[in-house]
């Protein structure tokens, strides 16, 4: 028995969710249940397996699933933890175990970060001011930011655009 099997939420900030696993009857041999995430980029499972013995079969075990930060504004992502039983007890060997359904809450937002946004000073003698531009989250494709001056009689930009890729977005 897996409790609960749904409604579990992790976060990209490392937030975790837990569920318990218990056997419904005493096995005649050890029962090992392997656990795996359907999407390890969203959540990791600990421990990787559980072992129940004929002496400890009735002690529920806790499984913890921890969210993984991915830097993508990909929304909340659903995934499952699958459980597979192996045992010398033919009643438990390969028994069907329903998965646990989880969602990882996304903490990324698409955006462009400019710093500083005020206090920059240029001079008519050619003195320059600089600022930095980065993306707030990893894009899935190249992003081009167009730069322009609102008054080219007072100041011009050194570049017409900046292009960011999934590799150099930050």
């Amino acid at each position: 028995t897996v409790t609960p099997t749904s409604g579990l939420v992790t976060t990209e900030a490392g937030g975790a969710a837990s569920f318990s696993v218990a056997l419904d009857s005493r096995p005649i041999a050890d029962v090992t249940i392997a656990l795996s995430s359907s999407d390890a980029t969203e959540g990791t499972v600990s421990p990787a397996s559980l072992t129940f013995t004929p002496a400890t079969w009735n002690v529920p075990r806790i499984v913890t699933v921890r969210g993984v930060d991915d830097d993508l504004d990909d929304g909340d992502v659903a995934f499952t933890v699958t459980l597979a039983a192996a045992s010398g007890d033919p009643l438990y060997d390969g028994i069907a175990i329903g998965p646990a359904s989880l969602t990882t809450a996304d903490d990324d937002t698409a955006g462009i970060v400019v710093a500083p946004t005020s206090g920059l000073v240029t001079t008519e003698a050619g003195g320059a001011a600089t600022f930095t531009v980065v993306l707030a989250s990893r894009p899935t494709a190249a992003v081009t930011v167009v730069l322009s001056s609102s008054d080219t009689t007072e100041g011009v930009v050194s570049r017409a655009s900046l292009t960011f890729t999934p590799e150099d977005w930050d």
Side-chain angles (χ1 to χ4, degrees):
T1 300
V2 177
T3 308
T5 59
S6 62
L8 298 164
V9 178
T10 66
T11 68
E12 287 189 353
S18 298
F19 60 89
S20 68
V21 179
L23 299 186
D24 294 337
S25 63
R26 181 187 309 272
I28 61 171
D30 288 0
V31 177
T32 300
I33 299 175
L35 301 134
S36 62
S37 172
S38 66
D39 189 345
T41 66
E42 291 296 332
T44 59
V45 183
S46 178
S49 67
L50 305 170
T51 300
F52 295 89
T53 69
T56 64
W57 70 273
N58 60 344
V59 178
R61 307 294 160 59
I62 302 299
V63 176
T64 301
V65 183
R66 188 164 305 283
V68 176
D69 193 8
D70 60 12
D71 295 326
L72 294 170
D73 183 7
D74 56 355
D76 296 350
V77 177
F79 66 102
T80 59
V81 171
T82 57
L83 300 93
S87 177
D89 183 329
L91 296 177
Y92 275 102
D93 190 43
I95 192 170
I97 306 170
S101 299
L102 294 99
T103 300
T104 296
D106 192 16
D107 66 353
D108 301 299
T109 303
I112 299 169
V113 180
V114 179
T117 58
S118 64
L120 298 169
V121 178
T122 61
T123 67
E124 290 182 349
T130 61
F131 57 92
T132 61
V133 179
V134 296
L135 301 184
S137 64
R138 181 184 308 274
T140 58
V143 174
T144 299
V145 176
V146 177
L147 305 171
S148 64
S149 172
S150 64
D151 186 348
T152 57
T153 65
E154 292 296 324
V156 294
V157 294
S158 61
R159 300 174 67 167
S161 65
L162 302 170
T163 300
F164 297 91
T165 67
E167 293 74 37
D168 70 2
W169 64 276
D170 63 347

